Amino acid sequence: VDDFPTDQFTVSFWAKSVGYYHTGGSTQTKYLFHIKGPNNFNLATIYAYRDDLYVTVMDYSYGYTYNYWQPSSTSEPTWTHVALTFNTRESSCATRTMVYIDGILRSNYCYGNGEALTRSAKILLNARWYSSTYTDSYANPSYTDYTGMSMAEFAIFDTALDPTSIATLAAGQVHK
C-alpha cells in the first residue's frame, strides 16, 4: 500500500475463532493482522494469546484487553467486532490509540511522541511478517493461524472514527 493514512486511522474488522482461539489449548501467539512499514516493524498489530488481545502501534506495545476476546469458556464461536484507532491530532495528547471490542472502549492509551506514520505499508491478515525487513514478503508460519479463524469486513479508514461510528459498525450484521 502506498497511501496508508499517516496521522490518523481506524482498523475495523469482525473475527470469529473456532471455540477457544487456540485449538487444543495451545499457548502459541496468533496474529489477527500485522501492518509493517519501512521504519516500523509494527505500524499496527493485534494478536491473541489465550483469551487476551494484545495491541502494538508504531512499535510501542501499549497494553492488552484482558478476557474481552472470545474466552476459553465459549462453546459456540461468535463474531466479535474489533476496532483500533490511532490519532496524532488529539488536542489532549500527542498520540492516542484506542481499542474497542463490540463497540465498547476497552483500552485507551496516550503517549507523547506524536509521530506520523509512513505512507508505505504492507498488510497481512491472520499472520505475522517473517522479518522486520520491509522488502521481505513472507509470513512467519509460527504465527499463522491454521485453526479456523474467520475474518470479515476488514477495513482501514483514513480517520480515527468516533465512538458513535464504531458502535454503529459493531451493531451491524456480519456479511461473510
Side-chain angles (χ1 to χ4, degrees):
V1 177
D2 291 324
D3 60 350
F4 194 81
T6 59
D7 54 0
Q8 60 178 331
F9 65 85
T10 299
V11 176
S12 169
F13 59 94
W14 289 90
K16 178 173 73 169
S17 63
V18 178
Y20 188 62
Y21 185 73
H22 312 288
T23 303
S26 167
T27 58
Q28 189 171 6
T29 300
K30 297 295 181 183
Y31 279 68
L32 281 74
F33 74 89
H34 185 189
I35 302 172
K36 75 174 179 176
N39 300 319
N40 300 92
F41 185 48
N42 293 301
L43 282 181
T45 302
I46 294 182
Y47 66 89
Y49 178 76
R50 298 189 179 234
D51 294 345
D52 304 322
L53 289 180
Y54 292 75
V55 178
T56 302
V57 177
M58 292 284 295
D59 290 330
Y60 296 101
S61 179
Y62 74 90
Y64 39 94
T65 58
Y66 290 106
N67 298 316
Y68 296 123
W69 173 249
Q70 303 177 10
S72 55
S73 60
T74 301
S75 58
E76 186 65 32
T78 58
W79 286 100
T80 300
H81 184 263
V82 179
L84 162 70
T85 66
F86 172 85
N87 191 351
T88 62
R89 295 183 185 176
E90 276 277 325
S91 60
S92 59
C93 73
T95 305
R96 182 169 306 280
T97 302
M98 303 166 108
V99 177
Y100 297 81
I101 306 294
D102 289 331
I104 300 168
L105 180 63
R106 297 296 189 182
S107 185
N108 181 353
Y109 189 73
C110 178
Y111 46 100
N113 61 359
E115 296 175 35
L117 302 175
T118 178
R119 302 268 316 145
S120 298
K122 290 187 176 186
I123 302 168
L124 192 59
L125 302 179
N126 285 346
R128 178 181 186 254
W129 291 106
Y130 190 76
S131 78
S132 59
T133 305
Y134 187 68
T135 55
D136 176 33
S137 58
Y138 297 102
N140 187 330
S142 297
Y143 297 101
T144 302
D145 180 16
Y146 299 109
T147 63
M149 169 66 117
S150 298
M151 293 182 81
E153 300 179 21
F154 185 92
I156 298 174
F157 298 89
D158 64 356
T159 188
L161 294 178
D162 61 53
T164 302
S165 299
I166 291 173
T168 300
L169 288 171
Q173 296 212 341
V174 180
H175 301 281
K176 302 176 244 173

